């Protein structure tokens, strides 16, 4: 065999091996594509079957469905696992508290004694738009009128909004309000009692109606009562460190409201 003949034979053999390898890779890809198609088809069938039974399924089945759905959408296994865990927790709590129902109201009674005259304490309380500056969980307060307020606060890391209406307000004595909100609401009364010329007791009575899942969960361990107690301490500190030193800046609204209507306006 000449050198040229041997080179030709070797080249042909190499080309044949390359073609065989290429064909094997193509065959492997086709097999993988066929397996992926079969898997997706089975996955679609299983998702449809589970979805049809979702309303009757327990928390674990719904959690599995959420995890499968996450994988089907192309999420990573970690994110699919997170979807599984969150859905399992949410469905379990929904079964405990009931779905779409308001939670039982919680009665909260708190008080604090403030070392300042009653008029000053009352005036500072009526300055609702100051609340975000010293209350930890209040984000904003928008007072549309003397009787209507819109609130936004953070509860367990979630932003919540509600509206309140003042139905009765007597200067230096008490304020009564009613509220409404998509995730719950709070009705309440705050009253001001002079213990001494420079000592005022603030008594807060709340009726809390949790509506959302987060709110109903927090209601189990009376988190709202502890929050009200803490916010009262923040109010007392604000009066003692700011309002008491600058009483002229603490002027509040001193009109009177009866049955939701203004009967006297500040003079």
């Amino acid at each position: 065999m000449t050198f040229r003949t041997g080179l030709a034979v070797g080249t042909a053999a190499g080309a044949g091996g390359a073609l065989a390898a290429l064909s094997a890779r193509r065959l492997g890809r086709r097999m993988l594509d066929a397996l992926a198609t079969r898997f997706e088809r089975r996955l679609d069938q299983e998702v449809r079957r589970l979805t049809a039974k979702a309303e009757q399924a327990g928390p674990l089945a719904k959690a599995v469905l959420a995890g499968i759905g996450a994988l089907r959408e192309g999420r990573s296994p970690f994110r699919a696992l997170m979807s599984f865990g969150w859905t399992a927790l949410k469905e379990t709590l929904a079964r405990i508290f009931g779905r779409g129902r308001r939670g039982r109201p919680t009665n909260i009674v708190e008080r604090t004694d403030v070392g300042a005259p009653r008029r000053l304490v009352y005036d500072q309380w009526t300055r609702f738009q100051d609340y975000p500056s010293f209350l930890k969980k209040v984000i904003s307060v928008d007072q549309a009128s003397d009787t209507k307020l819109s609130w936004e606060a953070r509860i367990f890391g979630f932003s919540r909004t509600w509206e309140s209406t003042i139905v009765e307000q007597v200067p230096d004595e008490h304020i009564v309000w009613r509220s409404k909100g998509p995730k719950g609401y709070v009705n309440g009364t705050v009253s001001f009692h002079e213990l001494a010329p420079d000592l005022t007791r603030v008594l807060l009575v709340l009726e809390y109606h949790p509506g959302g899942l987060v709110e109903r969960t927090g209601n189990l361990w009376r988190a709202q009562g502890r929050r009200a107690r803490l916010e009262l301490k923040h109010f007392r500190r604000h009066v003692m460190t700011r309002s008491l030193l600058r009483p002229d800046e603490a002027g509040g609204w001193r009109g009177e409201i009866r049955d939701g209507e203004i009967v006297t306006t500040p003079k």
Side-chain angles (χ1 to χ4, degrees):
M1 178 183 296
T2 64
F3 173 76
R4 184 174 298 176
T5 303
L7 180 62
V9 171
T11 303
L19 288 174
L22 182 60
S23 297
R25 286 198 296 270
R26 288 176 177 173
L27 178 61
R29 282 199 297 269
R30 285 198 295 269
M31 291 179 64
L32 288 176
D33 290 343
L35 287 173
T37 302
R38 290 178 59 188
F39 175 76
E40 289 178 357
R41 188 180 302 115
R42 292 288 300 275
L43 184 59
D44 287 340
Q45 293 174 354
E46 191 65 16
V47 168
R48 286 195 295 269
R49 186 181 67 82
L50 289 174
T51 302
K53 296 183 178 180
E55 291 302 321
Q56 291 77 33
L60 184 59
K62 291 187 178 181
V64 171
L65 179 61
I68 293 175
L71 285 174
R72 187 182 176 210
E73 293 170 3
R75 300 183 189 177
S76 67
F78 174 76
R79 295 189 64 184
L81 182 62
M82 292 295 291
S83 297
F84 169 85
W86 170 244
T87 303
L89 175 62
K90 185 170 62 175
E91 290 297 330
T92 300
L93 293 175
R95 287 208 166 195
I96 293 174
F97 299 117
R99 196 180 303 275
R101 298 181 307 192
R102 292 284 181 181
R104 291 183 178 182
T106 298
N107 296 315
I108 301 170
V109 179
E110 296 291 342
R111 71 180 187 185
T112 187
D113 295 337
V114 184
R118 181 169 67 166
R119 181 185 177 108
L120 177 64
V121 175
Y122 171 84
D123 283 350
Q124 182 58 68
W125 188 280
T126 62
R127 295 177 61 88
F128 302 110
Q129 292 178 327
D130 290 349
Y131 283 12
S133 66
F134 61 87
L135 297 184
K136 295 299 182 182
K137 297 300 182 180
V138 177
I139 298 174
S140 65
V141 182
D142 181 24
Q143 188 163 8
S145 67
D146 292 329
T147 61
K148 301 287 186 180
L149 298 100
S150 298
W151 299 76
E152 181 179 4
R154 190 162 298 279
I155 300 177
F156 297 110
F158 295 89
S159 177
R160 294 291 187 255
T161 59
W162 69 93
E163 296 180 355
S164 60
T165 300
I166 298 175
V167 297
E168 185 165 306
Q169 181 169 345
V170 179
D172 301 330
E173 292 188 12
H174 62 263
I175 302 173
V176 182
W177 69 90
R178 298 289 180 264
S179 301
K180 61 180 181 179
K183 297 293 185 178
Y185 59 94
V186 180
N187 298 329
T189 300
V190 59
S191 57
F192 307 86
H193 309 269
E194 184 179 88
L195 303 181
D198 292 320
L199 183 62
T200 303
R201 173 164 293 171
V202 179
L203 179 61
L204 183 65
V205 180
L206 303 176
E207 186 180 76
Y208 176 66
H209 296 258
L213 179 62
V214 172
E215 289 75 11
R216 296 199 300 272
T217 304
N219 210 31
L220 279 177
W221 54 83
R222 304 285 176 165
Q224 290 78 10
R226 291 196 297 273
R227 172 51 54 187
R229 189 180 313 123
L230 183 60
E231 297 291 40
L232 269 180
K233 291 181 179 179
H234 292 320
F235 173 79
R236 180 178 62 191
R237 184 186 65 222
H238 181 77
V239 173
M240 298 292 293
T241 60
R242 296 287 300 276
S243 304
L244 194 60
L245 298 177
R246 303 181 182 90
D248 294 339
E249 298 178 4
W253 191 79
R254 302 191 61 80
E256 185 172 345
I257 299 173
R258 300 281 185 179
D259 296 326
E261 301 290 337
I262 300 173
V263 295
T264 61
T265 56
K267 298 179 180 180

